[in-house]
Amino acid sequence: MEYILIFISAVFVNNIVLSQFLGICPFLGVSKKIDTALGMSAAVAFVLTIATIVTFLLQKFVLDAFNLGYLQTITFILVIAALVQMVEIILKKVSPSLYQALGVFLPLITTNCCILGVAILVIQKNYDLLTGVVYAFSTALGFGLALTLFAGLREQMSLVNIPKGMQGTPIALITAGLLAMAFMGFSGVVKI
């Protein structure tokens, strides 16, 4: 039951993008097409889940064991950067079109505060490995949901006549705010 609560909380109630405002850069940058948003969501889900496992093990068996907790942030960043490089190499070989579509935003996963934030939150919340992985994967699904919904909204907005002063970033920010307010309707559903 605890895992279900964590899942619902991470995806809907405490959505990493719409509630905690982490991962805004790819949220705004890669959300113009649904296909690109789904590709970014999959890449973030993979990196986030694997990074959580690796950083958890490093924290427990290296940093805590040798009293090197002050190296947590730099260690986590290095792990995330290495994983993103691995994803980039794999995407380049497996799906060159998705690699081209993601463009500059794929390397930006390295500095995506969503991934670093979740890795640190798993340690701060004192989760065990399985709970941390469930939380990380659920958070990645929540990120993907928000990104895909926003991409769908932006695709629809491209078909509508928007006043010139509101085109582009202004209407995107207003839409993101409305989407965040819609997700606030889930608050109170789960307390965790």
Side-chain angles (χ1 to χ4, degrees):
M1 186 66 170
E2 177 188 1
Y3 299 129
I4 294 170
L5 293 175
I6 288 173
F7 176 81
I8 292 170
S9 176
V11 173
F12 299 109
V13 180
N14 295 321
N15 187 288
I16 198 81
V17 176
L18 300 173
S19 178
Q20 298 180 26
F21 307 112
L22 295 174
I24 296 292
C25 182
F27 177 71
L28 292 173
V30 184
S31 60
K32 292 182 180 153
K33 292 184 178 181
I34 291 178
D35 294 340
T36 309
L38 289 172
M40 177 60 95
S41 299
V44 167
F46 177 76
V47 171
L48 186 57
T49 305
I50 300 301
T52 299
I53 294 169
V54 174
T55 55
F56 179 88
L57 295 173
L58 277 171
Q59 180 73 38
K60 296 298 178 193
F61 297 113
V62 177
L63 299 178
D64 288 348
F66 296 106
N67 200 20
L68 298 171
Y70 59 92
L71 293 174
Q72 180 188 54
T73 304
I74 191 72
T75 303
F76 286 12
I77 289 171
L78 290 173
V79 166
I80 292 166
L83 288 171
V84 169
Q85 288 300 313
M86 185 177 72
V87 168
E88 196 170 354
I89 291 168
I90 292 169
L91 271 181
K92 196 180 229 182
K93 290 188 186 282
V94 173
S95 179
S97 60
L98 179 59
Y99 176 77
Q100 289 296 327
L102 291 175
V104 72
F105 293 102
L106 188 57
L108 284 178
I109 294 176
T110 304
T111 58
N112 187 345
C113 55
C114 168
I115 296 173
L116 180 61
V118 170
I120 291 173
L121 282 172
V122 165
I123 301 301
Q124 286 179 347
K125 292 183 178 196
N126 207 19
Y127 286 152
D128 59 18
L129 182 58
L130 181 59
T131 307
V133 170
V134 168
Y135 175 72
F137 187 71
S138 300
T139 300
L141 288 179
F143 177 84
L145 176 66
L147 193 64
T148 306
L149 284 173
F150 192 56
L153 290 170
R154 287 181 83 174
E155 279 187 3
Q156 289 297 316
M157 284 189 300
S158 68
L159 303 174
V160 178
N161 188 14
I162 298 172
K164 189 169 184 144
M166 294 297 292
Q167 291 176 357
T169 305
I171 195 69
L173 291 174
I174 289 170
T175 305
L178 291 171
L179 190 58
M181 286 175 46
F183 268 69
M184 285 179 62
F186 292 114
S187 63
V189 172
V190 176
K191 289 285 183 190
I192 190 162

